[in-house]
Amino acid sequence: MAGGISIHGVDVARGVAAEGLYVELHALAPERRRLAAGRLGANGQLDHPTVRGEGIAPGPHEALFHIGDWLRAAGYPEEQRGFLDILPFRFVVTDPDRHLHLPLKFTPYGVSLFLGV
């Protein structure tokens, strides 16, 4: 896949895709503007034209993962759902023809987010 930014979320504590997790994607320059927003599907991925490169340009970007709301909706006990809230992840697009895959793996107490393949 050439170009675009794909986002994939997995709750590794339960071993399930993070279906319904609300995610936002913003370009930060020359001013902040929202490129995409929506909920992850049953496969844990955001289905949006930005995945195919629409609207993606070189420069700084930010993904916002609304993990706290998702943990509450998923029925985690109160003591496990109050630590994480909205997780920001800033990164730079250097080549708009290169596809960037952002896999988010999380538990109620921590996250792993990286550039995947």
Side-chain angles (χ1 to χ4, degrees):
M1 179 181 296
I5 298 170
S6 58
I7 295 172
H8 186 198
V10 176
D11 173 355
V12 294
R14 291 188 174 167
V16 298
E19 180 178 5
L21 175 67
Y22 186 72
V23 177
E24 300 174 59
L25 179 62
H26 297 263
L28 300 178
E31 66 274 331
R32 182 182 186 89
R33 63 183 167 48
R34 188 163 73 178
L35 301 175
R39 299 196 179 277
L40 301 185
N43 62 358
Q45 296 185 38
L46 182 64
D47 182 17
H48 190 273
T50 52
V51 172
R52 296 174 293 285
E54 187 174 307
I56 305 299
H61 289 71
E62 180 178 62
L64 296 174
F65 299 88
H66 294 252
I67 296 174
D69 289 342
W70 190 88
L71 292 170
R72 282 186 285 283
Y76 272 92
E78 187 173 341
E79 66 273 5
Q80 292 183 347
R81 61 182 187 224
F83 178 64
L84 295 173
D85 190 23
I86 299 172
L87 174 72
F89 183 69
R90 289 195 173 184
F91 59 97
V92 177
V93 173
T94 56
D95 178 0
D97 293 326
R98 177 182 178 205
H99 185 81
L100 302 179
H101 180 62
L102 306 179
L104 167 70
K105 299 178 183 203
F106 65 93
T107 73
Y109 301 112
V111 301
S112 176
L113 183 55
F114 51 92
L115 177 59
V117 291

